[in-house]
Amino acid sequence: MCARDANSRFSGGEFQSPALERLVRCFGRLPGLGRKSATRVALHLIADPQTGADLVDAVREAADRVRHCSRCGAITEADPCAICSEPRRDATLLCVVASPIDILPFEKAGFYRGRYFVLGGLLSPLDGVRADDLPFARLATRVEQDEVTELILALDASVEGETTALYIQRLVERHGLRLTRLATGIPVGGALAYTDEATLQRAFEYRRQY
Amino acid sequence: MCARDANSRFSGGEFQSPALERLVRCFGRLPGLGRKSATRVALHLIADPQTGADLVDAVREAADRVRHCSRCGAITEADPCAICSEPRRDATLLCVVASPIDILPFEKAGFYRGRYFVLGGLLSPLDGVRADDLPFARLATRVEQDEVTELILALDASVEGETTALYIQRLVERHGLRLTRLATGIPVGGALAYTDEATLQRAFEYRRQY
């Protein structure tokens, strides 16, 4: 992958530098960057070597230090993570999220005092993500050990999110806990006129007594 | 810049890892990447350490090998570059471009048999780019030494491009060479209905006898 091609010679449409072409290919493999944006970034690094050196340091430091919490799967440098180590957080409330990044909006809002469990993905038969690929066994153990009373599913409102929610429902039904899901509806401040049909239908379906 | 903050503690809305936050900041400083896309890239590198190692290698190799051609300013690993070293290319034809990247479409198309001169920028008083910041003295020497007969300005059709073109016109007027600029008009295959007003006005102004 993005290896240096020893035999590469200058050809029109490419830079006269295999090293720069390799750099462009490397950046082009990152999510969200195409050839154009990768070229822009690579030329920026050539023009500003300090930024390149900083980037190299940061990638290496992150590779050395960053790990996943062995209890909840959050990204952390200490294991267990700060949230799992905080005794004042309610261990009987467990919020299940797909990715470590999904913890951020909860912690920013600051209203939630329970703990988390990161699945690291969602069930997706089409993409080849099956139940064996996700830590459901660890989730079941955690529910039992921490005597969880409420499991909050904070999963995407997508087909994969629904499938995963259904699987977890079956997984924990014998535990007799309260299983909840985040509400689906019109966002706060969202304009009704610009709400997509699926969201509107859900918001109608789950309408509350006023 | 994107340094590790020794005193940083976990706060809501950020990852529980200063190293990851630093990585996100580093990527966020690259052109075209905001906090969201930088986070996506950083998490990708955490999940796939090989890509991170490849990236580190590629950045370091590029920093070691990539340089600017001392004659034309193109990006190269050998100095002078392949284009400047090619004896069959017509040295009396000189194409002036703003950035090394502007050479690529010419070489891809393959019709141009002259040489290049990279300015490395355009005059922009508002951004603090003045004549002293660009290699105009080297351009004048080059024009003289190579007995350039035609200087082709391949600069953006922007205020900065116009300003730079005007400056070069004054710079070389005593040399008695042919000074040309790329045509401005409707692109091949471009739809007239979707052509912006400025382009349409130029295309009309520079209309040719049919």
Side-chain angles (χ1 to χ4, degrees), chain A residues 67-69 72-76 97-105 107 116-121, chain B residues 14-16 20 43 46:
Chain A
R67 67 200 70 191
H68 291 273
C69 173
C72 73
I75 280 177
T76 181
V97 294
S99 155
I101 203 174
D102 297 327
I103 295 176
L104 273 51
E107 292 302 302
Y116 299 95
F117 190 88
V118 178
L119 290 175
Chain B
E14 296 205 341
F15 289 103
Q16 305 179 60
L20 180 59
L43 286 176
I46 296 302

Side-chain angles (χ1 to χ4, degrees), chain A residues 50-68:
Chain A
Q50 186 55 50
T51 300
D54 286 353
L55 197 69
V56 164
D57 270 4
V59 172
R60 302 184 115 186
E61 192 193 26
D64 281 352
R65 293 178 186 260
V66 178
R67 67 200 70 191
H68 291 273

